[in-house]
Amino acid sequence: MRVVADLRVIKGGTIGPNKIKGYIDNGIAIPKYFFMAVLYCSNKNYKAIAFYLPHENLKVPPYSSKELKDYVLSIDELEKETGFDFFINLPDDVEKQVEANYTLSDWSW
């Protein structure tokens, strides 16, 4: 059996009202938060997870898995925080299900 897998990762920083930490000298905004949306598909089985981290000094990298787990949320929750609509090319029924939920044990920590 041939396994077909796809991994999509979207990363960025927040901009907009109450989402900017400050500005550097040339007027470029410093994001208050950084985010990552991850979608994995293998043989039409989907799973997704999102991270929303404050732009501040956490523990010295690499961050521990326990620390990262404190910043996990669903894709739907991340969409509310950022105003972005992730993974819009998925079939609607798949998008609705995969963006609403995440399971920590689905991911290797």
Side-chain angles (χ1 to χ4, degrees), residues 37 39 45 57 100 104:
L39 175 69
N45 292 311
N57 289 332
L104 287 176

Side-chain angles (χ1 to χ4, degrees), residues 25-45:
D25 291 336
N26 59 4
I28 296 175
I30 302 167
K32 198 173 198 177
Y33 300 93
F34 292 104
F35 63 85
M36 181 168 51
V38 180
L39 175 69
Y40 176 79
C41 177
S42 178
N43 292 323
K44 297 187 180 183
N45 292 311

Side-chain angles (χ1 to χ4, degrees), residues 49-81:
I49 194 167
F51 299 88
Y52 192 66
L53 292 96
H55 184 180
E56 59 186 45
N57 289 332
L58 302 176
K59 294 178 183 170
V60 177
Y63 306 115
S64 71
S65 60
K66 180 185 181 308
E67 185 176 24
L68 281 177
K69 288 176 187 176
D70 291 340
Y71 301 98
V72 170
L73 63 167
S74 71
I75 301 297
D76 279 343
E77 292 168 314
L78 183 61
E79 289 176 338
K80 288 177 188 167
E81 290 291 341

